[in-house]
Amino acid sequence: MRVLIAPDCFGGTLTAPEAAEAIAAGWRSSAPDDELTLCPLADGGPGFVDVLHSALGGHLRHRSVAGPLGASTDAVWLEHDGTAYIECAQACGLTLVPKEERDALAANTVGVGELISHALDSGVHTIVVGLGGSGSTDGGAGMFRALGAIPVGEDGEPLPPGGGPLIDTARLVGEVDLRGVRLVAASDVENPLLGKDGAARVFGPQKGADDLAVRRLERSLTRWADLLGEVAGRDVRDEPGAGAAGGLGAALIALGATVESGAGVVRRLTGLDGALDRAQLVVTGEGSFDFQSLRGKLVTRVSGAASERGVPCVVLAGQVSVGRRRAASAGVEQAYSVAEHVGSAEASLADPSGTLTQLAKHVSTQWRL
């Protein structure tokens, strides 16, 4: 059987290439005659640059930039054929700050702006920013600051970085000059900037925001949306993807970015469609197969593409909370949980690669054409 193994990363435990290798190891141990094709993927979040470098080659550019709370962090972006591929999580990622130190009101995207500035200096004609896995909810204000447009208060003084201070923003001082470069926001979600499905209310709590902080961030982003509307010449707050990466999507849209599916970008550049055309079974996966997975994230992009070809698709995930009926509506034949297979989430996290390999071995015995 021809099996395509095309997972996303598994949270902070396994990169997409590591997950693909773990699945393949388990599959081969039970079905050594199957023909396996490994195609690790990303949807704009963590692993975006790594996956594209594996598929395209190109030159990795290393830079030290400001992390989400200001401390320097090492980041990498990819230059290939006149295009810069930037992964926002490398500069403002949630995993860059220990859980006990997270400050949802202060976390910012200054480092993302610094990466974009470096890419501009390199002379590229296109900049693709992968969105996902952020620890910030500043609406991209930090990125604006690094690119030359600084939020100031009524007294004309620059505001501190972060989403919290934006509630006092009076105007922007300075302008962002992208030098005619085409900008693409590769979004892993379709959420708007504000409201019950917006950046603060949906994603703020996982970034350390309590109820009070969520309400402050919502008010801050509402004020910031007014300024972004002035920059864009139109209201951008409700555009799909505006709420991605703590509102960084809205800032990119305001600067003229086109929004593309991060999974779609990777699908095109990795040649996933050709691999799908040859497959008889598709195995994809991610850390948690949940309701967010059904809102345009990678696994459902893969399952949908497989379904279009009449090819069965199964999901292997650390944890599964999507019911069978809803999974089937997204083209998923069956979703398997590592935690359930090995007995607990703790057991699965103790050996992420080994337990995923165990699950893949088990699943391979259930799928024979």
Side-chain angles (χ1 to χ4, degrees), residues 266-330:
V266 173
R267 173 179 171 176
R268 171 170 49 86
L269 295 176
T270 59
L272 177 62
D273 286 292
L276 285 165
D277 289 340
R278 297 186 295 272
Q280 294 172 293
L281 174 68
V282 175
V283 181
T284 186
E286 62 178 344
S288 179
F289 184 51
D290 53 28
F291 78 97
Q292 290 185 31
S293 305
L294 304 178
R295 300 196 63 165
K297 295 194 74 175
L298 186 143
V299 292
T300 49
R301 299 281 183 175
V302 173
S303 62
S307 180
E308 291 170 1
R309 294 164 169 78
V311 178
C313 177
V314 298
V315 171
L316 276 59
Q319 298 187 68
V320 174
S321 58
V322 176
R324 190 161 190 165
R325 182 176 297 178
R326 294 195 70 186
S329 69

Side-chain angles (χ1 to χ4, degrees), residues 67-69 93-103:
L69 294 179
L94 186 62
T95 59
L96 296 177
V97 182
K99 190 172 184 178
E100 63 276 8
E101 297 178 14
R102 290 173 186 168
D103 185 339

Side-chain angles (χ1 to χ4, degrees), residues 65-66 86 88-89 91-92 109-117 129 143 146 248:
V65 299
I86 290 171
C88 84
C92 67
T109 54
V110 171
V112 179
E114 292 174 345
L115 286 175
I116 292 174
S117 179
V129 183
M143 178 192 70
L248 178 57

Side-chain angles (χ1 to χ4, degrees), residues 7 103 110 137 152 159 166 194 208 229 233 239 277 315 323 326 349:
D103 185 339
V110 171
T137 315
V152 301
L159 296 174
L166 292 177
L194 304 171
E239 297 199 22
D277 289 340
V315 171
R326 294 195 70 186
L349 292 172

Side-chain angles (χ1 to χ4, degrees), residues 191 195-206 214 218 291-292 295:
N191 300 65
K196 65 181 179 63
D197 295 322
R201 293 180 183 171
V202 173
F203 304 112
Q206 71 189 38
V214 167
E218 181 74 8
F291 78 97
Q292 290 185 31
R295 300 196 63 165

